[in-house]
Each structure stands twice: as structure tokens, then as C-alpha cells.
Amino acid sequence: MIKLIASDMDGTLLGQKLSISDENVAAIRYAEEHGVKFMIATGRNFDEATPALKEAGLVCPLIAVNGAQAFDENGKTLFTIDIQQEEARQVVKILKEQDLYFEVATTKGIFSDNRPQRLENMATFIANSMPHLTYKMAVAMAIAQLDIQDVHYVEDFEELFAHEDVKILKFIAFSPLEAAALTPARQKIDLIDDLVVTSSFPNNLEVNHRFAQKGIAVQRMAQAYDIPMEKVMTIGDNFNDISMLEVAGVSFAMGNAELAVKEVAKYETDLNTQSGVGKAIRRAVDERLS
């Protein structure tokens, strides 16, 4: 039987209104009552991930920024895997040359050089996640989200490299043209040693250190808890989840997952808007999947 569950957030654990449903929370509690540990593995940074968890009353370990950082249930940093300045400068140059808007996730929060573009991207994300909303409502929610997030604005990203205490964890670039605009940048970044490119939505690409992947991070956490990988369950919906689906003994793709993700996972569950995580957890516990 499984002993550890690692779940993605966006498109997975989060449903309507980007919150965690009562059904999902109840299933997590059910698993914990059966001796199963629960944790998060997300592309979000710590400050972006914790509000939804706190609202749901969940206290658990957290893998953040696609595996670039991990925290225990008390918020203590367990490890950090950052991108070195030389590689970071190359990424900035490529993304600028491709005329892509991007943001930089660091140990000091998120940095952007374009506030209106960040607001537009956040509104588009919310509108896509909650199609019942009007775009005007999505913009209002985006403004509220930006007010509580740790976002910093700079004139030039070179400012980041002047501060040795700021570690760069991830680049995330966006384009409404999706692959047509993102693929050329991805192909160039793929040639840089020590970097890996994934995505959490069709309209973005995410750049991390090659050792900052969810699969590697889940393995590190499982080892720390002395839990073999065949007793680990992972749940996800997008390309940045594939590495952790591949290494787990039990893996679930969401009903709304990308086809490539479903092909990797051993099992499939319901949509994120239908508490698919909760259904997968109860199935794994009740059927003693392994």
C-alpha cells in the first residue's frame, strides 16, 4: 500500500475558484488516517502555493518551483537548487531575442519587468481556469491576487545578478501563440547545459536547473522519509508533472490532463473540477494500489 502522496496544484488539486474542494480535503484526511503522508509538488513558489493550503486547513510538506525548493510542514527550507548566473543571462538573452514576456522566480519572490503584462497573464490564467467567469471578473481577481503576492518590478533583469543573496529558481515565459512562439526559444534553451525546459500550460515554458524537477524532488523527499518509490503515489495533469509520474509506484493523471501525461500515468481519475484528486486518493487507499 502507498505511504506517500505527492500532488500537483493547478489543474490537479485546485478546482473551482482555484481552491481545494471539501471532497479533496476529506480524502487527504482519510489517507492520513491510514498512515499515508501527503505533500504538494507544484510549479508555484512557496508564497503562491500556501494561501490555498491555509484556506483548506492543510499543513504538509511542499515541493515548490518544479522541484527547485522543498519545505517541511513548518515552512522550513529543506533544499534549494538554483540556476547559475551565466546560464541565467543566456536565458534572458534568448527570451528577449524571441520577444517573449517572462518572469523570474527567485528566493526573494517573483520579478517582472512589465506590470501590465503580468496582470494580463494572470487574468488570462484565471479566465482559462474558470471559464464561467467573464474576462472583466478575471481581471478583478487577478488584481486581487497580485496585491497579495510577493512580486517585484525591475527595469532590467540585470539588477537581479547584482545581488548575491538572490537565487534564481525558474524562468517562466508566456505567449498566446503557444508553440509557434515558444518552440524557437525552447530549442535554444535546450542547448544550454544544466537546464531543463518543461511547461505547465500550452501557453508557457518553464526553465529550471536540470536537477530541479518534480520527479527528482519527490525521490529526495521519499528517501528522507525512508519510503521506497514503489509506495509513492503522484498525481498531475501537465508536462512538468511527467517526471514525478514516471518515478512513482502509483501514478494518476487527471481527467483533464494532457494526452502525453495520460500515456505516462498508470491510472486516470476525474477532472480537477470534479475533485479528481480525492477520488484517486480514496481508490488508492481502498484498493491498496501499489
Side-chain angles (χ1 to χ4, degrees):
M1 179 174 161
I2 59 171
K3 293 296 182 183
L4 174 65
I5 298 170
S7 173
D8 174 48
M9 292 190 76
D10 293 295
T12 302
L13 183 64
L14 302 183
Q16 296 288 354
K17 300 181 180 179
L18 299 179
S19 60
I20 304 172
S21 71
D22 291 341
E23 183 178 343
N24 283 344
V25 174
I28 293 169
R29 303 290 189 215
Y30 181 70
E32 291 173 337
E33 290 168 2
H34 285 77
V36 182
K37 195 172 187 68
F38 178 82
M39 69 179 180
I40 293 295
T42 180
R44 295 183 177 213
N45 68 17
F46 182 85
D47 290 330
E48 291 174 315
T50 50
L53 296 173
K54 289 180 180 178
E55 182 181 1
L58 295 175
V59 179
C60 62
L62 170 67
I63 293 170
V65 204
N66 286 341
Q69 284 192 305
F71 304 85
D72 67 13
E73 55 268 30
N74 299 313
K76 177 185 176 182
T77 303
L78 299 176
F79 61 78
T80 298
I81 303 173
D82 59 309
I83 298 172
Q84 298 302 301
Q85 286 193 10
E86 180 181 348
E87 286 81 7
R89 284 190 169 93
Q90 293 180 61
V91 174
V92 169
K93 184 174 184 292
I94 290 169
L95 296 178
K96 288 289 188 182
E97 288 175 347
Q98 297 299 318
D99 197 28
L100 294 172
Y101 170 73
F102 63 94
E103 299 166 6
V104 185
T106 78
T107 51
K108 299 295 184 180
I110 298 171
F111 285 79
S112 169
D113 64 351
N114 190 325
R115 184 180 179 88
Q117 186 63 62
R118 175 162 173 78
L119 176 61
E120 181 179 333
N121 283 343
M122 177 64 74
T124 299
F125 167 72
I126 292 173
N128 289 339
S129 301
M130 293 181 279
H132 61 285
L133 294 181
T134 65
Y135 188 74
K136 184 176 181 180
M137 293 170 65
V139 169
M141 287 188 65
I143 293 173
Q145 286 285 324
L146 294 184
D147 286 341
I148 64 174
Q149 290 180 354
D150 189 16
V151 182
H152 310 280
Y153 296 94
V154 294
E155 292 293 328
D156 190 326
F157 284 109
E158 189 65 29
E159 294 177 35
L160 294 179
F161 306 129
H163 301 281
E164 294 184 359
D165 61 328
V166 178
K167 294 183 178 181
I168 296 173
L169 305 177
K170 182 179 77 169
F171 289 87
I172 180 167
F174 305 86
S175 175
L177 300 179
E178 300 183 358
L182 297 172
T183 297
R186 180 179 192 136
Q187 291 173 337
K188 292 182 178 181
I189 296 171
D190 276 337
L191 299 176
I192 302 175
D193 291 339
D194 288 333
L195 298 185
V196 63
V197 185
T198 59
S199 64
S200 53
F201 290 95
N203 71 336
N204 75 27
L205 62 80
E206 302 181 6
V207 183
N208 286 84
H209 190 282
R210 67 188 178 94
F211 292 136
Q213 299 185 55
K214 290 186 180 184
I216 296 173
V218 169
Q219 287 177 306
R220 289 185 64 169
M221 297 291 277
Q223 184 177 18
Y225 297 129
D226 197 26
I227 298 174
M229 289 306 298
E230 58 264 27
K231 294 187 179 297
V232 174
M233 170 177 161
T234 53
I235 317 171
D237 74 303
N238 226 304
F239 300 109
N240 62 342
D241 298 314
I242 287 178
S243 64
M244 72 173 181
L245 296 176
E246 290 177 328
V247 299
V250 177
S251 55
F252 275 87
M254 301 300 296
N256 51 283
E258 295 288 337
L259 178 59
V261 178
K262 292 182 178 181
E263 291 175 346
V264 170
K266 293 182 179 179
Y267 305 97
E268 184 175 334
T269 186
D270 209 338
L271 307 176
N272 67 307
T273 54
Q274 299 297 319
S275 300
V277 166
K279 292 180 174 67
I281 290 174
R282 288 188 181 274
R283 178 183 174 188
V285 174
D286 291 343
E287 296 182 16
R288 301 182 68 85
L289 298 182
S290 62

